[in-house]
Amino acid sequence: MDMRTVTLIQGDGIGPEICQSVIDIFAAAKVPVQWEMAMAGLEAIEKFGNGVPPETLESIKRNKVALKGPTTTPIAGGHKSVNVTIRKALELYANVRLAKSMPAVETRFENVDVLIVRENIEDTYAGIEHMQTPNVAQCIKLITRQGSMAAIRYSFEEARKLGRKKVTCVHKANIHKITDGLFLTVFREVAAEYPEIEATDIIVDNCCMQLVSRPEQFDVLVLPNLYGDIVSDLCAGIVGGLGVAPGGNIGRDCAVFEAVHGSAPDIAGKGLANPTALLLSSVQMLQYMGLIGHASAIQNALESALAEGVKTRDLGGTASTAEYTQAIISRLVLDGVDAQTVPMTNAAAAELPVISENWTLVGADVFIEHKGGLPQMPETIGPFTLRLISNRGTKVWPGPTPDILLVDHFRNRYVADSSVTRNDVLALLQELTAMGKHWCHVELLNQVAGEARYSKAQGE
Ligand code: NAI
């Protein structure tokens, strides 16, 4: 079988010890992988003044796959997190974590085996935040068709490759009708391309409740960034915590796999480190590379060592890192592993369609800063009619103003009977400025064939 080169970043603290365990197990399992060492973390900062030298990024881009040990982020000195730097530089659009019950790790649940795919770039993590008034903060939740599609396609590709039966989209589209609604729409479009896989969806709060009562019902979960961040840690807790949680970051052209835990400086160099999480990350990496047989062989050997009571100290055992590694090696069964190799696929490489629509501009939501009760706003300006004023999303005009807390941030929805231009909107803003209205944020209101491309206010 062809050898493939993988970038190996050993990292800091226990990183080199747990990486050595993976190197030894891969060699014993005859995995057709050769390592290219690259540097990141403290050593790189000392040598190059940069936690992620350009050579390391080049190595990952060249080899397309990397395994990374944990890296220490110095608290002082303003060094950026190595993980964030790598994720941004390589546009790693999906985060994938496995939550699987392990024999030696006692938890309330058995037979949990959930693969969690989280969109990794967008949502509220795009970091578009502004104070609107001294009392009102706003963060833009950005969901794109392309970003959603890349992550969702990846979840279905993995399900198909690993013989998993069901993909569940986790969302809050009942409330976030437009943003999560787009994520769910894209999910349904993509699901139609994989008829052999059951596609379901669930509201995120119900999903959390179900996960902590009957987690074994889930197979693959795919989520927007924020829900994914929270739900993936919840899933790690269900199977015994972050110590045995593997993970990977999947990009357009490359992928980086790593354990979720840190560099554990307190036990570094003592032979006590548990390599399980990094080894499970390397199993995910092999699955990504299509080396399904080798991945299963290593996973089975790991589970059988644990089931027979060989554990490191953190799991209540006495084995050193080296003894635990040997126990896994001695349990490897390699018959027929090569036959289970499938081509490496890259879901994001598939076309990500950009759709076009003929939008008609019909108005604008003009947000103003205003203290002390309902603002007096003109009911018509040019082609626009004031349709509603809302405060924190609740309609406060027309009709009786509900008895609610009013903050100093009012939305005024001005809509025309027919299409308007951006110049009309500018004239609207100039008029409001001339009247002393302190506008702080504007959103355009568009329609397609009479259908709004914006949400209604509560009570509208
Ligand atoms: P940590 O995960 O390194 O350690 C927390 C506790 O868990 C410690 O008692 C440690 O001994 C234990 N532990 C962690 N992994 C273990 C393993 N494989 N085997 C046995 N015991 C293990 O978290 P901490 O102490 O908050 O962070 C230490 C450093 O790691 C920091 O500089 C932090 O920035 C970095 N870090 C790096 C990550 C990464 O590169 N992916 C992720 C999280 C933290």
Side-chain angles (χ1 to χ4, degrees), residues 11-12 14 18 42 68-75 81-83 87 242-244 258-268 272-278 312-315 321:
D12 303 312
I14 58 169
I18 58 177
L42 287 183
K68 180 187 161 294
T71 42
T72 299
T73 306
I75 292 170
S81 148
V82 166
N83 295 323
R87 195 175 302 167
L242 296 178
V244 292
E258 67 174 334
V260 172
H261 64 71
S263 55
D266 51 333
I267 57 162
L272 298 174
N274 182 356
T276 303
L278 189 69
T312 45
R313 207 181 57 169
D314 55 304
L315 294 182
T321 312

Side-chain angles (χ1 to χ4, degrees), residues 114 120 135 180 217 258 260 264 271 279 287 363-364 398 420:
V114 188
N120 213 17
N135 302 292
D180 285 7
Q217 68 184 288
E258 67 174 334
V260 172
L279 191 59
Q287 290 168 341
V420 292

